[in-house]
Amino acid sequence: MGSTASHHAAVRVVDVAGVTFFGSAALAYLVRLARAASPARLQLHSPGRVVRRPWEITGAIGMLDVTEAPGPTTPPPGS
């Protein structure tokens, strides 16, 4: 039986909106998760400063993608 291997780089999403503490254990866990997911990309959804900063400081930010939740929409002036 012949088959063609198809490698799709899927995305694994971790929603971190509302996280108020992000220690070294959490960083280490997500680094392991990102490595295990490869070739898929790990995506952090809505990371606040508390989550984003350790990734930036350690230089591991390149291991993942970051998406932001859409902000509230403001109606145009005069509407």
Side-chain angles (χ1 to χ4, degrees):
M1 171 181 216
S3 66
T4 304
S6 176
H7 298 287
H8 295 283
V11 175
R12 306 289 187 243
V13 179
V14 178
D15 188 347
V16 291
V19 171
T20 59
F21 178 79
F22 192 81
S24 60
L27 179 64
Y29 175 76
L30 288 179
V31 165
R32 285 193 308 273
L33 186 62
R35 287 181 178 155
S38 182
R41 293 284 293 177
L42 183 65
Q43 183 179 85
L44 292 185
H45 179 70
S46 297
R49 186 175 194 279
V50 110
V51 174
R52 186 187 297 260
R53 190 71 178 134
W55 285 95
E56 292 170 346
I57 289 171
T58 60
I61 194 77
M63 295 182 74
L64 50 84
D65 298 323
V66 175
T67 60
E68 300 296 335
T73 57
T74 306
S79 6

